[in-house]
Each structure stands twice: as C-alpha cells, then as structure tokens.
Amino acid sequence: MFIERLISPVVPTLLPTDTGSRALSLMEANNLAQLPLLTGGKYTALVQERALLDWQTPERPLSGADFLQYRPAVFAFGHPFDALRVAHIHNLDIVPVVDKTDNYLGAITRDNLLRFVTENAGLDNPGGIIVLEIAPHNYSLAEIARICEHEDVVVVSSQLYTEAETGMLRVTLKTDRTDLGGLVDSFGRHGYRVCEVFGEQGAQEDMLGRYQLLMSYINM
C-alpha cells in the first residue's frame, strides 16, 4: 500500500495571504495542531499552533511570519510506515504528502495512521498476544515462527523493539489463538523468556504461573 491511499480529504490548507488568526481558527475548528501552507500548489511549510500562539502579530498575513522553515513531509509513493515514523518523531496530527517536485497532494491524519496500523497488524482480529524478551544475538524470527507452527498457532503480526536500558529485544507476537498455554510452555522449553501473555480472560495468570514453574524446574 502506498501512502497516497491514506490521504484524508478533510484537512484544510493555508495560503500566504491568510492571517495567523484565521489559521488558529481553522486549527480549532478541525481539532488539529498543524496545517500545511501552500504557495501556488507547492508545499511551503507546516504551520504549527504553538508558533502562531507565540507570534506577536497574528493579525498579519502568514507570508510575513518567521517560522515558515518547518516542512516535514513524506512522498506519495512511500510506505505508510514512513508517515508513521515522521508523525512519531515530530509529534504531528497530520503528515503532508508531496510528489518529487513538492506539489502538495494532501495530508494523512493521525487517525488514518492509527486505523492503518490496527487493520494491518491484525489487531482488529480475535487472538492472543505474547511478548518475548530475547538477546539480540539469539533473535531468530524463523525459529519463533517454527515454535508457533508446531503448536498450531499462526503469527498474525510481529513487532520488534529494543529496550534502551538493557539492550534486550522485545518481540510482540499477535496470534490467531487465545488459548496460548501450550505455546507459552513451548517457548519456555526452548529457553525463551515470556514477559507478558494476553489470552483468554482468567487464563493469563495461570499461563504465566505454569511458565515460571517450568523455568524453575529447568534451572534446578
């Protein structure tokens, strides 16, 4: 999926002739903290609410503002993860989308990005979640998938991030099953540390308890 498919049709734009007061009114009406400013259809800058609030002359046209150098954007042919990264780094409500010559094509809202992540990570499908902690040199997605397959569990999606303090990897597995007791036990037998389990109501503590007992037995 390309980024341009997530463009929202309801994000208003600003012109250099618009005043700071008008920009603030548009932001308030649309519940957005940023709006793109265009010049002749070209993406010029992303105007931020906090910059407008600090501006001493909001009654003046935006063309006279000194904060028009800020222009984060993504290309239309990129992957939505690019937009997600930019939104996260800059803490944006919207991410402007441009082509190779800076023509403005639209903007992606935070809500659209959240919907994309939910739909494509399988979060809207029933199933359980297991979080593993793994040393980077021991990480093997192929082996993790094999263990899941052996327990007849399908991995719908996986996410990986590094703990800043320890350097350990946290692997989050979204599965198609809620009864994850067998998979928890299997990961334990293969030396994986299971940090969290989200499965059937009332079964989570039991699964972690059995896992801890198994690890205690293995380490005897």
Side-chain angles (χ1 to χ4, degrees), residues 99-131:
D99 64 13
K100 289 184 177 180
T101 56
D102 283 337
N103 290 308
Y104 178 75
L105 303 179
I108 302 174
T109 65
R110 186 189 296 266
D111 287 345
N112 281 352
L113 285 173
L114 181 60
R115 187 177 302 110
F116 167 81
V117 170
T118 300
E119 292 174 350
N120 287 271
L123 300 180
D124 55 345
N125 296 322
I129 294 173
I130 288 184
V131 182

Side-chain angles (χ1 to χ4, degrees), residues 142-156:
E143 182 181 47
I144 291 172
R146 180 182 59 78
I147 294 172
C148 292
E149 182 179 350
H150 182 73
E151 296 295 330
D152 293 325
V153 175
V154 174
V155 177
V156 178

